[in-house]
Amino acid sequence: MSSAPLSFQDCIQQLTSHEILSAEQIQAVLNGLPEASQDPSAELLLRELVKQDRLTAYQARVVLEGRTSSLNLGNYVVLDELGKGGMGEVFKAQHRVMDRIVALKVVSEAFVKSQDALQRFHREVRAAAKLTHPNVVAAYDAAEVAGVHFLVMEYVDGQDLSSLVKQGGPLPLSQAVNCILQAARGLEYAHQRRIVHRDIKPSNLLLDRDGAVKILDMGLARIATEVGPGRTVAHEA
């Protein structure tokens, strides 16, 4: 059974109660509408908010679907969906106070139900916290809000190498060698801290707009802990 369409007033209530926009921001947009649109629908309001860069297209779609609460994660406002993986989803988000743009890796509900899986996520957090290097995606924070576990990571404005090659073909030799060298530096740094990624591939290497390669997804890392002279035990994350 389909739910009732979102009303204009409910749309405003959703946006303000979840602190996506203030009533003043919404009113400023409404004041700018032509007289013929003075009895707007939720769809019209959302379209105008997107047009004026008050909302992203993703946010407008989520609000229209009645899932506005999912845009609010503590200090962060979700802006867009970046991708999905075995552990959950990754979103582009903005810190409410600092205005910093970040990537949020949100663990799926099914994943969290397993204690082993949750421990795996916590190991990812610890692994990521050990790494600060120009060629590794940085981890800023980890938190839980209303049962939702997420990792706050550096947002990389760019594209993974797999997608880049699929769209434009093989990279020029000099650029390909440069990417390999940068990834190797990041891996060397991680190995010095006893972390092995275990899943290095083009889709886990992000190339930003300045030409820097950053290693993604340390959730597939392996943390080696010494248990005796010359011996290690591996904990798969």
Side-chain angles (χ1 to χ4, degrees):
M1 183 177 179
S2 60
S3 58
L6 184 70
S7 71
F8 174 71
Q9 290 299 331
D10 283 344
C11 180
I12 294 178
Q13 192 274 332
Q14 289 287 312
L15 290 169
T16 55
S17 65
H18 292 292
E19 300 181 359
I20 308 303
L21 292 174
S22 68
E24 290 76 14
Q25 288 173 316
I26 295 174
Q27 189 59 52
V29 170
L30 292 175
N31 291 341
L33 291 176
E35 291 187 8
S37 304
Q38 289 305 307
D39 187 22
S41 63
E43 291 87 346
L44 176 62
L45 173 60
L46 292 171
R47 280 199 302 270
E48 193 63 27
L49 289 169
V50 171
K51 182 179 178 181
Q52 297 192 25
D53 292 327
R54 296 289 187 174
L55 291 179
T56 66
Y58 173 80
Q59 289 176 316
R61 185 170 72 251
V62 170
V63 173
L64 198 58
E65 293 171 355
R67 300 186 293 112
T68 313
S69 61
S70 67
L71 298 175
N72 189 340
L73 281 177
N75 290 323
Y76 297 94
V77 177
V78 173
L79 302 176
D80 203 355
E81 185 177 37
L82 297 177
K84 295 182 180 181
M87 188 179 288
E89 296 180 87
V90 182
F91 298 93
K92 181 180 179 181
Q94 185 174 27
H95 193 282
R96 293 183 182 278
V97 178
M98 300 174 68
D99 283 338
R100 180 166 64 182
I101 301 297
V102 299
L104 300 184
K105 186 170 187 177
V106 179
V107 181
S108 68
E109 292 184 15
F111 203 93
V112 172
K113 288 179 181 178
S114 165
Q115 189 61 35
D116 288 342
L118 189 56
Q119 289 176 357
R120 177 184 172 189
F121 171 69
H122 289 158
R123 286 199 296 272
E124 173 180 356
V125 170
R126 290 193 291 272
K130 294 175 181 285
L131 305 177
T132 303
H133 189 274
N135 299 121
V136 177
V137 172
Y140 297 140
D141 194 10
E144 175 189 354
V145 175
V148 177
H149 296 259
F150 59 94
L151 174 63
V152 184
M153 302 179 297
E154 172 187 7
Y155 172 72
V156 179
D157 186 11
Q159 196 172 15
D160 70 82
L161 293 182
S162 177
S163 299
L164 196 64
V165 171
K166 287 177 182 177
Q167 292 175 9
L171 300 178
L173 180 59
S174 60
Q175 185 181 14
V177 170
N178 181 260
C179 289
I180 292 171
L181 287 174
Q182 290 189 64
R185 293 188 189 106
L187 289 172
E188 179 185 34
Y189 170 83
H191 293 172
Q192 290 172 348
R193 282 146 186 81
R194 308 191 60 76
I195 297 175
V196 180
H197 189 285
R198 294 193 67 190
D199 194 31
I200 286 297
K201 55 188 178 183
S203 59
N204 278 333
L205 298 174
L206 298 178
L207 181 66
D208 72 14
R209 296 186 183 277
D210 294 324
V213 171
K214 293 178 180 285
I215 301 170
L216 179 68
D217 202 356
M218 296 309 296
L220 298 176
R222 181 172 65 180
I223 306 173
T225 305
E226 290 188 1
V227 294
R231 296 177 59 200
T232 61
V233 58
H235 300 283
E236 182 174 340

